[in-house]
C-alpha cells in the first residue's frame, strides 16, 4: 500500500506517453497530406493546359506526361498512407486512451475505497480502546475510594455501600468496554489482513494488467505505423518503374519523323538555272584554227519562261509568297426553270450555319479561308481537320433532325402530347444548317482535292447517319447492300434540258442500288438521274431516269445538285 501513490503516478505517465505518441502520428500524417497535396499541385502546374490533341505528339513529351501521371499516382499513395495512419493508428490510439483513462480511474477509486474502509475500521477499534482505557481508570478510582471508606472507622455504612455500588458499576462498564475493544480489534485485524493480502494486491494486479496492455497496444501501433508504409511500397515501386519505362520510351527518330511530317511544305525543289549567253551579238574574227560558232547554231537563246527576275526568284524560293490559286468552282448545274420548292430551299440556305470550326478562328488573324497562305502539306492537314470538324457538326444536326422527326411522329399519333406544327420551324432550321454544313464540307473537299491533285472523295467523308433514316412504306432498301466509297463530282451537261417536265435538279449515283422493292428505282454506279422530289427527312429521294422511269433511291447513295435561283449556283447535298 505504501506504493499506491507511485503506481498512480506511473499509470498517469503511461497514458501521457501514449497520447504523446498519438500526437506524433498526427503530425506525421499531416506531413504526408501536405506532401501529397504539394505533389498534386506540382503535377497540375506542369500538365498541359490544352487538350492532348493540341499538344505535340513527341515521345519526349508523351514520356514526360506519363511521368506526371505516375507522380500523381504516387501522390495518391501518400494520401493513402496519411488516411490509414489517421484511421488505424491515430484514431485507434485516441479511442484506446479514453478507455485506458476510464479503467485507471476505476482501479484507483477501488484502491481508495479499500483504504478508506480500513481507516474506518481502525477508528472504530481506536475509539473502543480509548473507551476501555477510560473505564478502567474510572474503575480504579472507584476501587481506591471504596477501599478508603471501608478502612475508615468514621465512615457510615451507607457511604461504604454507595462506594461499593459505584465500584461495581465501574467494573462492569470496564468489562463491557474490554469486550467491545476486543471485538473491534479482532475485526480490524481481519479487515487489515484482507486489505493487504486480497484487495490491494488485486487492485495492483489490475493496474499492472492495464499497464501491460498499454505497452502491448503501443507495440501494435508501432507495427501498424510501419505496415501502412510498407503496404504502399509495391505500388510506389510500380510508379517508379512506370517512370523508368516512360524514360525508355523516348525515341529520337520518332520525334524527328514527327517534326519532318509537321513542317513538310510539299514544295518542289527549284530546277536548274539555264545558261544565258550574252556574247551572241559579238562579232568574232579569227584564223581558220579558231573555233567559231555559226551564226544560227550553238547559240543558246534565253528562254522567257526561265528568265531570271525578281518574280522568278520569288517563285523559285521555297518560302516565297505563293500566288493564290482560285478555289475550284462546284460542278456546273443545269439551269432548270425555278419552282416554289427550289425557291423555298434557296431562301433557307441563305441562313448562316453554326459551324464550330470558325468559332475558334482568332479575330484579325492573317489566315485565309482556304489556307492558301500555308505550304501544300500543311494546307492539306488543316483542310482535312476542318472537314472532320464540319462532319462532326453535321452529324449532330442529322441526329437532331432525326430526333425532331420522331417527336413530330409521336405528336401526330398522339395530339394530346403536343402540336406537331410547333416543331416545323426547328426542323426547317436544322435542315438549313445541314445544307450549309454540307456546302462547306464540299467546298473544303474541293480545296483538298486541289491540294492533293486528284478528285475529292466525298463518299469517304459522308456521315453514316444519312443512310440510317426511316424508310417509308414501299421504299425499304434491301438488306446486305454493300456500301463502298466512290469518287465522282462531275456531271454531264447533256442532260440539262432533255426532259421538258419540271425537275428540281439532278444527281449522280455514287453506288449501285438494286431497286427490288416496290416504288424504288434501279440504278448503277455513275448513272445520272433527274430529281423530281426531294428527301422529306426519311432518307429517300424520288428520281427519274433519262428513259422516263421513275422511283425512289437512297439519298445517301447519290450526289445531288439542286438548282438555285441566285446566279445559277448549286448546292450539294
Amino acid at each position: 500500500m505504501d506504493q499506491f501513490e507511485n503506481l498512480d503516478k506511473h499509470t498517469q505517465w503511461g497514458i501521457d506517453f501514449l497520447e504523446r505518441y498519438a500526437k506524433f502520428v498526427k503530425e506525421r500524417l499531416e506531413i504526408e497530406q501536405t506532401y501529397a497535396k504539394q505533389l498534386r499541385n506540382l503535377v497540375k502546374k506542369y500538365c498541359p493546359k490544352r487538350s492532348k490533341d493540341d499538344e505535340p505528339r513527341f515521345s519526349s513529351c508523351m514520356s514526360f506526361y506519363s511521368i506526371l501521371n505516375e507522380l500523381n499516382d504516387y501522390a495518391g499513395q501518400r494520401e493513402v498512407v496519411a488516411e490509414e495512419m489517421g484511421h488505424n493508428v491515430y484514431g485507434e490510439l485516441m479511442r484506446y486512451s479514453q478507455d485506458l483513462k476510464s479503467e485507471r480511474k476505476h482501479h484507483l477509486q477501488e484502491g481508495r475505497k479499500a483504504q478508506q474502509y480500513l481507516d474506518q475500521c481502525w477508528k472504530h477499534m481506536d475509539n473502543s480502546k480509548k473507551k476501555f482505557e477510560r473505564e478502567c481508570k474510572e474503575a480504579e478510582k472507584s476501587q481506591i475510594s471504596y477501599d478508603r471508606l471501608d478502612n475508615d472507622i468514621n465512615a457510615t455504612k451507607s457511604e461504604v455501600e454507595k462506594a461499593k455500588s459505584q465500584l461495581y458499576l465501574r467494573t462492569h462498564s470496564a468489562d463491557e468496554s474490554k469486550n467491545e475493544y476486543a471485538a473491534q480489534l479482532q475485526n480490524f485485524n481481519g479487515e487489515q489482513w484482507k486489505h493487504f493480502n486480497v484487495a490491494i494486491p488485486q487492485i495492483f494486479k489490475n493496474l499492472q494488467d492495464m499497464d501491460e496492455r498499454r505497452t502491448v497496444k503501443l507495440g501494435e501501433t508501432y507495427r501498424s505505423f510501419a505496415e501502412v508504409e510498407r503496404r504502399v511500397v509495391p505500388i510506389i515501386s510500380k510508379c517508379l518503374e512506370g517512370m523508368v519505362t516512360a524514360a525508355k520510351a523516348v525515341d529520337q527518330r520518332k520525334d524527328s519523323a514527327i517534326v519532318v511530317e509537321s513542317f513538310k511544305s510539299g514544295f518542289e525543289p527549284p530546277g536548274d538555272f539555264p545558261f544565258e549567253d550574252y556574247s551572241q551579238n559579238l562579232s568574232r574574227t579569227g584564223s581558220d584554227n579558231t573555233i567559231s560558232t555559226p551564226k544560227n547554231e550553238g547559240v543558246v537563246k534565253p528562254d522567257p519562261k526561265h528568265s531570271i527576275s525578281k518574280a522568278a526568284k520569288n517563285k523559285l524560293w521555297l518560302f516565297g509568297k505563293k500566288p493564290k490559286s482560285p478555289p475550284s468552282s462546284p460542278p456546273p448545274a443545269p439551269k432548270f426553270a425555278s419552282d416554289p420548292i427550289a425557291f423555298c430551299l434557296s431562301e433557307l440556305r441563305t441562313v448562316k450555319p453554326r459551324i464550330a470550326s470558325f468559332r475558334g478562328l482568332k479575330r484579325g488573324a492573317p489566315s485565309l479561308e482556304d489556307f492558301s497562305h500555308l505550304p501544300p502539306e500543311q494546307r492539306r492537314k488543316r483542310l482535312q481537320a476542318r472537314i472532320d470538324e464540319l462532319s462532326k457538326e453535321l452529324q449532330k444536326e442529322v441526329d437532331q433532325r432525326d430526333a425532331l422527326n420522331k417527336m413530330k411522329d409521336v405528336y401526330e399519333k398522339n395530339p394530346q402530347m403536343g402540336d406537331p406544327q410547333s416543331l416545323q420551324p426547328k426542323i426547317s432550321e436544322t435542315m438549313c444548317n445541314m445544307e450549309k454544313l454540307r456546302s462547306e464540307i464540299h467546298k473544303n473537299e474541293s480545296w483538298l482535292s486541289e491540294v492533293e491533285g486528284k478528285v475529292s472523295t466525298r463518299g469517304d467523308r459522308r456521315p453514316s447517319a444519312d443512310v440510317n433514316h426511316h424508310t417509308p412504306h414501299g421504299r425499304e432498301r434491301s438488306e446486305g447492300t454493300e456500301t463502298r466509297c466512290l469518287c465522282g463530282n462531275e456531271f454531264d451537261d447533256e442532260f440539262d434540258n432533255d426532259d421538258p417536265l419540271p425537275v428540281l435538279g439532278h444527281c449522280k449515283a455514287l453506288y449501285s442500288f438494286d431497286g427490288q422493292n416496290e416504288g424504288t428505282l434501279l440504278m448503277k454506279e455513275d448513272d445520272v438521274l433527274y430529281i423530281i422530289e426531294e428527301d422529306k427527312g426519311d432518307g429517300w429521294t424520288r428520281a427519274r431516269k433519262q428513259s422516263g422511269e421513275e422511283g425512289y433511291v437512297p439519298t445517301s447513295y447519290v450526289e445531288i445538285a439542286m438548282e438555285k435561283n441566285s446566279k445559277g449556283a448549286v448546292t450539294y447535298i
Side-chain angles (χ1 to χ4, degrees):
M1 185 62 189
D2 56 341
Q3 300 299 323
F4 188 80
E5 296 296 330
N6 293 332
L7 290 178
D8 185 1
K9 293 178 181 179
H10 173 73
T11 52
Q12 182 61 43
W13 172 86
I15 294 177
D16 292 341
F17 182 80
L18 185 141
E19 291 182 345
R20 182 183 179 188
Y21 174 65
K23 184 178 179 181
F24 161 77
V25 175
K26 181 180 180 182
E27 292 183 1
R28 170 64 192 280
L29 68 89
E30 288 176 353
I31 291 174
E32 291 289 344
Q33 290 174 344
T34 304
Y35 179 49
K37 183 178 180 180
Q38 290 177 349
L39 286 178
R40 289 196 182 276
N41 290 337
L42 181 66
V43 172
K44 184 178 179 181
K45 178 180 179 181
Y46 285 93
C47 273
K49 299 299 186 295
R50 298 173 293 178
S51 63
K52 292 184 177 180
D53 296 335
D54 297 335
E55 286 295 317
R57 310 300 293 179
F58 300 118
S59 61
S60 57
C61 295
M62 304 307 296
S63 297
F64 177 62
Y65 298 152
S66 299
I67 290 174
L68 290 178
N69 290 332
E70 296 294 344
L71 188 60
N72 193 55
D73 295 340
Y74 178 85
Q77 296 307 311
R78 305 319 305 181
E79 290 176 346
V80 170
V81 170
E83 182 179 355
E84 292 193 3
M85 279 187 180
H87 179 71
N88 298 337
V89 183
Y90 177 73
E92 187 67 22
L93 284 173
M94 296 307 295
R95 288 189 294 270
Y96 185 74
S97 174
Q98 296 298 324
D99 297 339
L100 204 63
K101 288 179 179 179
S102 299
E103 184 179 358
R104 173 181 174 274
K105 182 179 180 180
H106 173 72
H107 293 324
L108 293 179
Q109 286 178 349
E110 290 293 328
R112 291 189 180 94
K113 286 180 181 179
Q115 184 64 40
Q116 289 174 359
Y117 179 72
L118 183 63
D119 293 342
Q120 186 178 5
C121 291
W122 182 83
K123 286 181 180 180
H124 287 310
M125 184 272 296
D126 187 61
N127 291 334
S128 64
K129 177 182 176 182
K130 291 178 180 180
K131 182 180 178 181
F132 173 62
E133 184 180 3
R134 287 194 306 269
E135 291 295 335
C136 288
K137 289 181 179 180
E138 292 293 333
E140 289 178 357
K141 291 179 180 180
S142 297
Q143 182 68 38
I144 293 172
S145 177
Y146 172 74
D147 291 339
R148 183 175 57 78
L149 291 174
D150 188 39
N151 294 325
D152 188 5
I153 57 174
N154 296 320
T156 61
K157 185 178 180 180
S158 61
E159 290 178 349
V160 174
E161 289 295 330
K162 183 178 179 180
K164 185 178 179 180
S165 176
Q166 187 69 25
L167 174 62
Y168 176 78
L169 290 175
R170 293 297 181 185
T171 304
H172 181 72
S173 297
D175 291 338
E176 289 181 353
S177 299
K178 181 180 179 180
N179 293 332
E180 184 181 356
Y181 169 64
Q184 290 293 335
L185 180 61
Q186 185 179 2
N187 180 60
F188 172 75
N189 289 334
E191 292 297 332
Q192 182 176 252
W193 185 90
K194 288 193 297 184
H195 177 79
F196 286 102
N197 292 278
V198 179
I200 292 301
Q202 183 62 38
I203 292 173
F204 285 178
K205 181 67 169 53
N206 293 336
L207 289 173
Q208 182 182 0
D209 292 341
M210 181 192 71
D211 193 65
E212 289 178 353
R213 281 187 278 108
R214 176 192 63 82
T215 306
V216 171
K217 190 67 175 180
L218 279 173
E220 291 178 353
T221 53
Y222 292 162
R223 185 169 55 253
S224 300
F225 182 82
E227 287 292 336
V228 167
E229 184 86 17
R230 191 167 66 176
R231 277 195 295 269
V232 300
V233 167
I235 303 177
I236 291 176
S237 299
K238 290 184 179 180
C239 294
L240 297 176
E241 290 174 2
M243 294 181 185
V244 174
T245 304
K248 293 179 179 179
V250 176
D251 188 352
Q252 70 277 11
R253 296 186 181 275
K254 181 180 179 181
D255 289 357
S256 298
I258 293 176
V259 173
V260 172
E261 182 66 23
S262 298
F263 298 104
K264 184 169 61 176
S265 65
F267 287 124
E268 293 293 334
D272 296 336
F273 284 95
F275 176 76
E276 299 184 14
D277 189 2
Y278 295 100
S279 64
Q280 59 183 347
N281 296 326
L282 299 178
S283 60
R284 298 188 180 183
T285 59
S287 60
D288 296 338
N289 294 331
T290 303
I291 300 175
S292 61
T293 304
K295 186 175 182 180
N296 295 327
E297 294 180 6
V299 178
V300 181
K301 296 183 178 180
D303 189 355
K305 296 181 180 179
H306 297 85
S307 59
I308 301 176
S309 62
K310 292 183 179 180
K313 289 180 181 179
N314 290 335
K315 291 180 180 178
L316 290 173
W317 179 242
L318 290 178
F319 303 100
K321 295 183 179 179
K322 182 182 176 183
K324 291 190 295 181
S325 58
S328 58
S329 59
K335 298 179 180 179
F336 299 119
S338 61
D339 57 349
I341 297 178
F343 176 77
C344 294
L345 286 175
S346 65
E347 292 297 324
L348 286 175
R349 290 171 190 141
T350 57
V351 181
K352 185 177 181 180
R354 298 173 295 172
I355 302 174
S357 61
F358 295 152
R359 296 172 184 170
L361 292 178
K362 297 180 180 178
R363 294 183 178 180
S367 59
L368 300 177
E369 185 181 5
D370 59 351
F371 301 113
S372 59
H373 62 289
L374 298 176
E377 185 65 22
Q378 302 301 321
R379 182 186 180 193
R380 183 188 66 80
K381 292 180 181 179
R382 296 290 293 275
L383 288 173
Q384 184 63 53
R386 179 187 287 176
I387 290 172
D388 295 339
E389 197 170 352
L390 289 171
S391 299
K392 292 179 182 179
E393 189 72 15
L394 178 60
Q395 180 64 42
K396 292 180 183 179
E397 296 293 339
V398 170
D399 295 340
Q400 183 178 359
R401 181 198 63 183
D402 294 343
L404 290 172
N405 285 330
K406 289 180 181 179
M407 188 180 298
K408 183 179 180 181
D409 293 340
V410 172
Y411 286 175
E412 289 177 350
K413 294 178 181 178
N414 303 289
Q416 67 276 9
M417 297 182 66
D419 184 13
Q421 297 299 326
S422 62
L423 300 176
Q424 191 59 40
K426 188 64 177 178
I427 295 176
S428 301
E429 180 184 357
T430 304
M431 294 293 293
C432 173
N433 293 335
M434 289 171 57
E435 295 295 330
K436 281 292 184 181
L437 288 170
R438 285 167 176 158
S439 176
E440 290 293 334
I441 290 174
H442 174 72
K443 180 169 62 175
N444 284 274
E445 286 175 347
S446 301
W447 291 332
L448 182 62
S449 300
E450 175 190 347
V451 176
E452 294 177 346
K454 58 183 180 180
V455 181
S456 174
T457 56
R458 293 185 70 235
D460 291 340
R461 308 181 186 95
R462 179 179 293 274
S464 59
D466 288 354
V467 193
N468 299 327
H469 301 313
H470 294 287
T471 306
H473 179 70
R475 302 187 222 170
E476 294 82 0
R477 50 176 298 189
S478 61
E479 297 181 358
T481 304
E482 180 184 5
T483 59
R484 56 190 179 88
C485 298
L486 178 68
C487 301
N489 289 325
E490 302 297 331
F491 299 100
D492 296 329
D493 292 336
E494 60 181 354
F495 297 100
D496 286 350
N497 296 315
D498 288 349
D499 198 334
L501 296 178
V503 295
L504 303 179
H506 61 277
C507 64
K508 184 178 181 179
L510 298 176
Y511 316 103
S512 299
F513 180 65
D514 51 17
Q516 295 180 357
N517 296 321
E518 181 181 0
T520 58
L521 182 64
L522 172 65
M523 68 177 180
K524 295 182 180 180
E525 189 178 317
D526 294 333
D527 283 354
V528 178
L529 309 174
Y530 290 103
I531 304 300
I532 301 176
E533 181 181 340
E534 289 185 284
D535 187 351
K536 300 301 183 182
D538 54 7
W540 295 85
T541 300
R542 188 174 180 182
R544 180 175 64 235
K545 289 186 176 181
Q546 185 179 5
S547 60
E549 185 180 358
E550 298 181 358
Y552 289 93
V553 296
T555 305
S556 59
Y557 276 40
V558 295
E559 186 180 46
I560 302 175
M562 301 298 298
E563 182 182 6
K564 195 169 183 180
N565 294 336
S566 59
K567 300 181 181 180
V570 294
T571 302
Y572 290 88
I573 298 177

